[in-house]
Each structure stands twice: as structure tokens, then as C-alpha cells.
Amino acid sequence: MSSTMRRKSLRRVPGPRPEPAASDVPAVSLGRLTKADFRADEYLKETLRSVETTNIRQFRKGLEDARKGASKNLQKNVYRNYESFVFISKEISSM
């Protein structure tokens, strides 16, 4: 078999990549993310030490989903507390 033929037979066939197994993707630890002494660089080094590129992308998606959830939660809390804020502000201004 010639070297050219060998190279052709080793080429990847284009197509969708299989999703990584859930056990291969590191879990996003919300408990660690919310600690007062959280250090992002240390967290990422520990979490992604021996993880493949595909799984890092899945982990990043998990982080983005967590960020979106936190943003929605914050927005709900602001709207929920807005009415109380307006009421208290009026009370203070009438003193």
C-alpha cells in the first residue's frame, strides 16, 4: 500500500460528532461559584485539568446556562422587590 493511499484511508469522514458522555463533562459546581473566596483561575485549572476539548466546550455551555439562570433569578428578585422599594421611598420622602 502506498503512503498516499494510506493517508487517504486514515482521513476522517465528515459528519456530526457524537456528543460526549455526561460523565466525561465536568459538572458546574454552583456551590463553589458562589463562595466569597471564589477564584476563577484555580477553579478552572482544577476542573479542566485532564478534560478533552469537546468536553471543555460542553462545560462552557454549562457555565453559560448557569449564568443565564442567575441573571433571570436576579431580574425576578429586582422586579419582586421594586414595589417595596417604591413604597419605602415614598414613605421616606414624606417624613
Side-chain angles (χ1 to χ4, degrees):
M1 182 182 259
S2 73
S3 63
T4 307
M5 237 174 146
R6 224 176 312 173
R7 273 187 250 137
K8 285 183 181 179
S9 65
L10 295 176
R11 287 190 183 150
R12 270 188 148 173
V13 177
R17 291 183 177 167
E19 288 293 317
S23 62
D24 296 339
V25 179
V28 175
S29 173
L30 294 178
R32 288 186 63 192
L33 293 175
T34 57
K35 286 187 176 180
D37 63 343
F38 175 72
R39 296 196 37 144
D41 54 340
E42 289 177 8
Y43 174 72
L44 290 175
K45 283 178 187 175
E46 283 178 28
T47 307
L48 303 176
R49 184 173 295 137
S50 61
V51 177
E52 294 181 19
T53 305
T54 307
N55 296 344
I56 291 174
R57 288 188 181 111
Q58 291 294 325
F59 178 74
R60 179 175 178 239
K61 183 182 179 318
L63 283 175
E64 289 175 3
D65 291 345
R67 181 193 59 81
K68 288 176 185 176
S71 178
K72 285 182 181 180
N73 190 23
L74 178 63
Q75 188 175 27
K76 285 179 186 177
N77 285 332
V78 167
Y79 287 133
R80 187 179 324 133
N81 295 325
Y82 182 74
E83 187 177 328
S84 298
F85 172 76
V86 170
F87 177 76
I88 292 169
S89 297
K90 287 180 182 180
E91 289 289 319
I92 292 172
S93 68
S94 68
M95 294 181 142

